[in-house]
């Protein structure tokens, strides 16, 4: 129950991990005479909380990605079922809510957060999340957090953690929100929905005249996304994939299937390369690159920023049907290798190069520039990202985005098209880039909504802006540009 503060009147439950149908009553380890080495693999006989604690420590200490680390920890520890679901809720919920949790902890602690050992701060965050956002009993949240600190070797911090968490329990969860909420209206909305103010400002600006949707947009950022699968065209239809997986066909992409639960990596179509995990918005963009009419089509397609390869694979599958070839460019050797594995049996040639200086021969019919960006459109998939991203990085990204889009325009033929896309709604990375390029006079903008697979409510401009709260996709943007031919010279 991570969408908002819990109501104490709503009742509580105590999570008791079970083995062989019985509650696990294993006792906490006894305190050792000598402090154990500090580590994240604290064991207290509670698999769900142990896994969440380990992942949270790795994210805080090593800047690990939770969406990659958690599945690995669950698999290595053979945690499944109810325990896996609870570990997932604790991990992602804690990471999404860091701003609120830290404010509450700071209001109850006798020392600053920056003076706390990472294991201590992690245990406090994990315990505070349970107290504020779940129906776990207070004593269970406090006791297990104290035991995690002890098991991690931070014996001297047991009393401190116990005191802070018990102090938090003395005030109802909803009261903390009212007590710590900023006076500024935008900052208050950002705090309520656990976003940095600058991200809330960015989303409000992107909503434009629809800024009344800000709370809905921020709330959708904190909702767990449904897994989207893509059926590879020419190999399997979305209808077949839905039948095999028990999923539901998508609303927009003709290849999309929604998977409400389960590990997609274990699905046979995914393991055999007949399907993959790909957000439906990403599928719509890749399809748009192929759908825009181009005169005198030669079958030369380009993906200039191809890693990790999802759009290149979908374009490659469509190229195989149309008799075209895709050149996929990726600057990172590691990511280029991932693309090769993804497109291994498709007409896709992978080039390890900087897209701004790819060395490829011009004359492409169509190109995709899925530009490196802030990733603000996918915060729901990386819950810790909202607290680690920096607004000052956007200016540097803008330079790269303009350079990549300009390079793509040079590589397509007159009359060819370039689709510019980002997984960000920030106007500096979307319309700001497109409008700057349009001012150069080398391209004209087409109505991208015609190629948005029937999506409505995508904005008032020729480009398309998707939203989680409107479309169920990541907050992706794309614009369609057609390269103009050389201007005729006037003889004197």
């Amino acid at each position: 129950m991570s969408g908002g503060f819990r109501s104490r009147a709503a009742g509580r439950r105590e999570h008791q991990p079970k083995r062989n149908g019985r509650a696990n009553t294993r006792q906490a380890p006894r305190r050792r005479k000598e402090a154990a080495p500090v580590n994240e693999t604290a064991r207290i006989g509670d698999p769900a909380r142990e896994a969440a604690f380990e992942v949270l420590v790795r994210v805080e200490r090593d800047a690990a990605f939770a969406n990659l680390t958690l599945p690995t920890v669950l698999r290595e520890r053979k945690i499944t079922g109810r325990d896996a679901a609870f570990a997932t809720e604790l991990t992602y919920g804690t990471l999404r809510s860091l701003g609120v949790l830290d404010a509450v902890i700071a209001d109850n602690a006798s020392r600053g957060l920056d003076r706390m050992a990472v294991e201590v701060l992690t245990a406090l965050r994990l315990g505070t999340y349970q107290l504020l956002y779940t129906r776990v009993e207070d004593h269970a949240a406090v006791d297990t957090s104290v035991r995690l600190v002890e098991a991690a070797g931070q014996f001297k911090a047991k009393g401190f953690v116990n005191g802070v968490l018990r102090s938090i329990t003395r005030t109802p969860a909803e009261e903390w929100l009212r007590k710590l909420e900023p006076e500024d209206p935008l900052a208050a909305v950002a705090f309520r929905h656990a976003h940095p103010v600058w991200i809330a400002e960015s989303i409000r600006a992107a909503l434009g005249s629809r800024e009344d949707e800000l709370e809905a947009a921020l709330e959708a950022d904190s909702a767990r996304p449904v897994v989207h699968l893509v059926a590879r065209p020419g190999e399997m239809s979305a209808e077949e994939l839905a039948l095999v997986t028990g999923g539901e066909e998508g609303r927009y992409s003709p290849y999309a299937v929604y998977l409400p639960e389960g590990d997609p990596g274990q699905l046979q179509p995914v393991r055999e390369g007949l399907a993959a995990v790909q957000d439906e918005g990403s599928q719509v963009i890749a399809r748009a690159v192929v759908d825009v009419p181009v005169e005198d089509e030669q079958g030369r397609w380009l993906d200039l920023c191809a890693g990790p390869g999802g759009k290149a694979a979908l374009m490659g599958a469509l190229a195989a049907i149309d008799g075209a070839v895709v050149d996929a460019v990726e600057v990172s050797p590691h990511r280029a290798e991932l693309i090769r594995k993804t497109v291994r049996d498709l007409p896709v040639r992978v080039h390890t190069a900087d897209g701004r200086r790819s060395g490829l021969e011009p004359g492409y019919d169509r190109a995709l520039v899925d530009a490196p960006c802030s990733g603000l459109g996918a915060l729901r998939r990386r819950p810790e990202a909202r607290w680690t991203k920096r607004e000052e990085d956007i200016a540097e990204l803008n330079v790269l985005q303009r350079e990549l889009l300009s390079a793509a325009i040079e590589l397509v033929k007159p009359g060819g098209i370039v689709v510019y896309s980002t997984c960000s709604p920030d106007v500096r990375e979307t319309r700001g880039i497109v409008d700057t390029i349009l001012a150069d006079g080398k391209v004209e903008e087409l109505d991208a909504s015609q190629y948005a697979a029937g999506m409505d409510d995508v904005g008032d401009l020729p480009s398309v802006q998707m939203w989680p709260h409107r479309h169920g996709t990541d907050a992706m943007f794309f614009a369609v540009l057609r390269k103009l031919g050389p201007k005729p010279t006037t003889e004197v």
Side-chain angles (χ1 to χ4, degrees), residues 108-127:
N108 287 272
S110 58
R111 70 185 75 159
L113 274 63
D114 58 345
R115 295 176 55 203
M116 298 179 191
V118 64
E119 293 80 10
V120 174
L121 179 57
T122 298
L124 283 171
R125 287 168 169 172
L126 190 57

PDB file of all heavy atoms in Angstrom, residues 108-127:
ATOM      1  N   ASN A 108      13.053  13.634  13.873  1.00  0.00           N
ATOM      2  CA  ASN A 108      13.033  12.814  15.089  1.00  0.00           C
ATOM      3  C   ASN A 108      14.424  12.378  15.556  1.00  0.00           C
ATOM      4  O   ASN A 108      14.545  11.778  16.628  1.00  0.00           O
ATOM      5  CB  ASN A 108      12.182  11.562  14.858  1.00  0.00           C
ATOM      6  CG  ASN A 108      10.702  11.859  14.810  1.00  0.00           C
ATOM      7  OD1 ASN A 108      10.027  11.876  15.836  1.00  0.00           O
ATOM      8  ND2 ASN A 108      10.196  12.116  13.611  1.00  0.00           N
ATOM      9  N   ALA A 109      15.438  12.656  14.747  1.00  0.00           N
ATOM     10  CA  ALA A 109      16.781  12.177  15.066  1.00  0.00           C
ATOM     11  C   ALA A 109      17.608  13.264  15.740  1.00  0.00           C
ATOM     12  O   ALA A 109      17.437  14.458  15.471  1.00  0.00           O
ATOM     13  CB  ALA A 109      17.475  11.695  13.802  1.00  0.00           C
ATOM     14  N   SER A 110      18.538  12.836  16.559  1.00  0.00           N
ATOM     15  CA  SER A 110      19.411  13.769  17.274  1.00  0.00           C
ATOM     16  C   SER A 110      20.679  14.077  16.505  1.00  0.00           C
ATOM     17  O   SER A 110      21.516  14.845  16.974  1.00  0.00           O
ATOM     18  CB  SER A 110      19.784  13.173  18.639  1.00  0.00           C
ATOM     19  OG  SER A 110      20.439  11.911  18.463  1.00  0.00           O
ATOM     20  N   ARG A 111      20.839  13.476  15.353  1.00  0.00           N
ATOM     21  CA  ARG A 111      22.007  13.734  14.505  1.00  0.00           C
ATOM     22  C   ARG A 111      21.556  13.832  13.061  1.00  0.00           C
ATOM     23  O   ARG A 111      20.508  13.318  12.687  1.00  0.00           O
ATOM     24  CB  ARG A 111      23.048  12.633  14.664  1.00  0.00           C
ATOM     25  CG  ARG A 111      22.644  11.302  14.066  1.00  0.00           C
ATOM     26  CD  ARG A 111      23.636  10.191  14.332  1.00  0.00           C
ATOM     27  NE  ARG A 111      23.560   9.716  15.703  1.00  0.00           N
ATOM     28  CZ  ARG A 111      24.013   8.519  16.076  1.00  0.00           C
ATOM     29  NH1 ARG A 111      24.595   7.723  15.188  1.00  0.00           N
ATOM     30  NH2 ARG A 111      23.904   8.134  17.322  1.00  0.00           N
ATOM     31  N   GLY A 112      22.339  14.495  12.233  1.00  0.00           N
ATOM     32  CA  GLY A 112      21.995  14.663  10.835  1.00  0.00           C
ATOM     33  C   GLY A 112      22.100  13.356  10.056  1.00  0.00           C
ATOM     34  O   GLY A 112      22.884  12.464  10.415  1.00  0.00           O
ATOM     35  N   LEU A 113      21.331  13.258   8.994  1.00  0.00           N
ATOM     36  CA  LEU A 113      21.357  12.045   8.180  1.00  0.00           C
ATOM     37  C   LEU A 113      22.729  11.787   7.584  1.00  0.00           C
ATOM     38  O   LEU A 113      23.133  10.633   7.406  1.00  0.00           O
ATOM     39  CB  LEU A 113      20.316  12.144   7.053  1.00  0.00           C
ATOM     40  CG  LEU A 113      18.884  11.709   7.389  1.00  0.00           C
ATOM     41  CD1 LEU A 113      18.276  12.590   8.474  1.00  0.00           C
ATOM     42  CD2 LEU A 113      18.002  11.730   6.149  1.00  0.00           C
ATOM     43  N   ASP A 114      23.462  12.869   7.289  1.00  0.00           N
ATOM     44  CA  ASP A 114      24.780  12.711   6.679  1.00  0.00           C
ATOM     45  C   ASP A 114      25.805  12.161   7.665  1.00  0.00           C
ATOM     46  O   ASP A 114      26.903  11.771   7.263  1.00  0.00           O
ATOM     47  CB  ASP A 114      25.263  14.046   6.096  1.00  0.00           C
ATOM     48  CG  ASP A 114      25.329  15.156   7.142  1.00  0.00           C
ATOM     49  OD1 ASP A 114      24.736  14.989   8.232  1.00  0.00           O
ATOM     50  OD2 ASP A 114      25.962  16.177   6.852  1.00  0.00           O
ATOM     51  N   ARG A 115      25.468  12.101   8.947  1.00  0.00           N
ATOM     52  CA  ARG A 115      26.373  11.560   9.957  1.00  0.00           C
ATOM     53  C   ARG A 115      26.046  10.111  10.309  1.00  0.00           C
ATOM     54  O   ARG A 115      26.698   9.517  11.165  1.00  0.00           O
ATOM     55  CB  ARG A 115      26.317  12.423  11.224  1.00  0.00           C
ATOM     56  CG  ARG A 115      26.824  13.845  11.048  1.00  0.00           C
ATOM     57  CD  ARG A 115      26.642  14.628  12.329  1.00  0.00           C
ATOM     58  NE  ARG A 115      27.290  13.957  13.460  1.00  0.00           N
ATOM     59  CZ  ARG A 115      26.940  14.151  14.734  1.00  0.00           C
ATOM     60  NH1 ARG A 115      25.949  14.981  15.027  1.00  0.00           N
ATOM     61  NH2 ARG A 115      27.577  13.510  15.696  1.00  0.00           N
ATOM     62  N   MET A 116      25.045   9.550   9.659  1.00  0.00           N
ATOM     63  CA  MET A 116      24.635   8.178   9.959  1.00  0.00           C
ATOM     64  C   MET A 116      25.335   7.198   9.025  1.00  0.00           C
ATOM     65  O   MET A 116      25.499   7.469   7.830  1.00  0.00           O
ATOM     66  CB  MET A 116      23.120   8.022   9.790  1.00  0.00           C
ATOM     67  CG  MET A 116      22.285   8.878  10.712  1.00  0.00           C
ATOM     68  SD  MET A 116      20.518   8.645  10.406  1.00  0.00           S
ATOM     69  CE  MET A 116      19.834   9.998  11.370  1.00  0.00           C
ATOM     70  N   ALA A 117      25.719   6.037   9.548  1.00  0.00           N
ATOM     71  CA  ALA A 117      26.239   4.970   8.709  1.00  0.00           C
ATOM     72  C   ALA A 117      25.156   4.536   7.735  1.00  0.00           C
ATOM     73  O   ALA A 117      23.955   4.607   8.040  1.00  0.00           O
ATOM     74  CB  ALA A 117      26.677   3.791   9.572  1.00  0.00           C
ATOM     75  N   VAL A 118      25.554   4.086   6.571  1.00  0.00           N
ATOM     76  CA  VAL A 118      24.580   3.751   5.541  1.00  0.00           C
ATOM     77  C   VAL A 118      23.625   2.667   6.019  1.00  0.00           C
ATOM     78  O   VAL A 118      22.421   2.695   5.707  1.00  0.00           O
ATOM     79  CB  VAL A 118      25.288   3.333   4.233  1.00  0.00           C
ATOM     80  CG1 VAL A 118      26.102   2.061   4.418  1.00  0.00           C
ATOM     81  CG2 VAL A 118      24.281   3.144   3.098  1.00  0.00           C
ATOM     82  N   GLU A 119      24.115   1.712   6.804  1.00  0.00           N
ATOM     83  CA  GLU A 119      23.238   0.647   7.304  1.00  0.00           C
ATOM     84  C   GLU A 119      22.202   1.196   8.280  1.00  0.00           C
ATOM     85  O   GLU A 119      21.053   0.743   8.299  1.00  0.00           O
ATOM     86  CB  GLU A 119      24.067  -0.451   7.981  1.00  0.00           C
ATOM     87  CG  GLU A 119      24.949  -1.236   7.034  1.00  0.00           C
ATOM     88  CD  GLU A 119      26.236  -0.506   6.696  1.00  0.00           C
ATOM     89  OE1 GLU A 119      26.547   0.524   7.340  1.00  0.00           O
ATOM     90  OE2 GLU A 119      26.937  -0.974   5.790  1.00  0.00           O
ATOM     91  N   VAL A 120      22.612   2.169   9.095  1.00  0.00           N
ATOM     92  CA  VAL A 120      21.699   2.771  10.063  1.00  0.00           C
ATOM     93  C   VAL A 120      20.622   3.579   9.346  1.00  0.00           C
ATOM     94  O   VAL A 120      19.427   3.449   9.636  1.00  0.00           O
ATOM     95  CB  VAL A 120      22.480   3.652  11.059  1.00  0.00           C
ATOM     96  CG1 VAL A 120      21.525   4.398  11.996  1.00  0.00           C
ATOM     97  CG2 VAL A 120      23.459   2.802  11.860  1.00  0.00           C
ATOM     98  N   LEU A 121      21.049   4.417   8.406  1.00  0.00           N
ATOM     99  CA  LEU A 121      20.080   5.226   7.661  1.00  0.00           C
ATOM    100  C   LEU A 121      19.126   4.332   6.877  1.00  0.00           C
ATOM    101  O   LEU A 121      17.913   4.599   6.816  1.00  0.00           O
ATOM    102  CB  LEU A 121      20.822   6.178   6.715  1.00  0.00           C
ATOM    103  CG  LEU A 121      19.953   7.087   5.850  1.00  0.00           C
ATOM    104  CD1 LEU A 121      19.028   7.941   6.704  1.00  0.00           C
ATOM    105  CD2 LEU A 121      20.823   7.969   4.959  1.00  0.00           C
ATOM    106  N   THR A 122      19.643   3.260   6.287  1.00  0.00           N
ATOM    107  CA  THR A 122      18.791   2.350   5.518  1.00  0.00           C
ATOM    108  C   THR A 122      17.749   1.685   6.406  1.00  0.00           C
ATOM    109  O   THR A 122      16.572   1.588   6.045  1.00  0.00           O
ATOM    110  CB  THR A 122      19.647   1.278   4.822  1.00  0.00           C
ATOM    111  OG1 THR A 122      20.534   1.913   3.895  1.00  0.00           O
ATOM    112  CG2 THR A 122      18.784   0.282   4.080  1.00  0.00           C
ATOM    113  N   ALA A 123      18.159   1.223   7.579  1.00  0.00           N
ATOM    114  CA  ALA A 123      17.207   0.598   8.497  1.00  0.00           C
ATOM    115  C   ALA A 123      16.139   1.594   8.938  1.00  0.00           C
ATOM    116  O   ALA A 123      14.950   1.243   9.062  1.00  0.00           O
ATOM    117  CB  ALA A 123      17.942   0.035   9.706  1.00  0.00           C
ATOM    118  N   LEU A 124      16.548   2.842   9.192  1.00  0.00           N
ATOM    119  CA  LEU A 124      15.573   3.859   9.570  1.00  0.00           C
ATOM    120  C   LEU A 124      14.586   4.135   8.446  1.00  0.00           C
ATOM    121  O   LEU A 124      13.379   4.283   8.678  1.00  0.00           O
ATOM    122  CB  LEU A 124      16.303   5.155   9.959  1.00  0.00           C
ATOM    123  CG  LEU A 124      16.951   5.170  11.340  1.00  0.00           C
ATOM    124  CD1 LEU A 124      17.822   6.412  11.511  1.00  0.00           C
ATOM    125  CD2 LEU A 124      15.888   5.110  12.438  1.00  0.00           C
ATOM    126  N   ARG A 125      15.088   4.225   7.227  1.00  0.00           N
ATOM    127  CA  ARG A 125      14.193   4.458   6.092  1.00  0.00           C
ATOM    128  C   ARG A 125      13.221   3.289   5.911  1.00  0.00           C
ATOM    129  O   ARG A 125      12.020   3.491   5.676  1.00  0.00           O
ATOM    130  CB  ARG A 125      15.007   4.663   4.814  1.00  0.00           C
ATOM    131  CG  ARG A 125      15.724   5.997   4.737  1.00  0.00           C
ATOM    132  CD  ARG A 125      16.726   6.030   3.598  1.00  0.00           C
ATOM    133  NE  ARG A 125      17.236   7.367   3.332  1.00  0.00           N
ATOM    134  CZ  ARG A 125      18.234   7.631   2.500  1.00  0.00           C
ATOM    135  NH1 ARG A 125      18.853   6.628   1.861  1.00  0.00           N
ATOM    136  NH2 ARG A 125      18.633   8.871   2.312  1.00  0.00           N
ATOM    137  N   LEU A 126      13.737   2.098   6.011  1.00  0.00           N
ATOM    138  CA  LEU A 126      12.897   0.923   5.833  1.00  0.00           C
ATOM    139  C   LEU A 126      11.829   0.849   6.918  1.00  0.00           C
ATOM    140  O   LEU A 126      10.648   0.569   6.641  1.00  0.00           O
ATOM    141  CB  LEU A 126      13.782  -0.333   5.864  1.00  0.00           C
ATOM    142  CG  LEU A 126      13.153  -1.669   5.474  1.00  0.00           C
ATOM    143  CD1 LEU A 126      12.553  -1.611   4.088  1.00  0.00           C
ATOM    144  CD2 LEU A 126      14.207  -2.771   5.548  1.00  0.00           C
ATOM    145  N   GLY A 127      12.221   1.117   8.155  1.00  0.00           N
ATOM    146  CA  GLY A 127      11.246   1.113   9.231  1.00  0.00           C
ATOM    147  C   GLY A 127      10.229   2.231   9.112  1.00  0.00           C
ATOM    148  O   GLY A 127       9.026   2.023   9.317  1.00  0.00           O
TER     149      GLY A 127
END
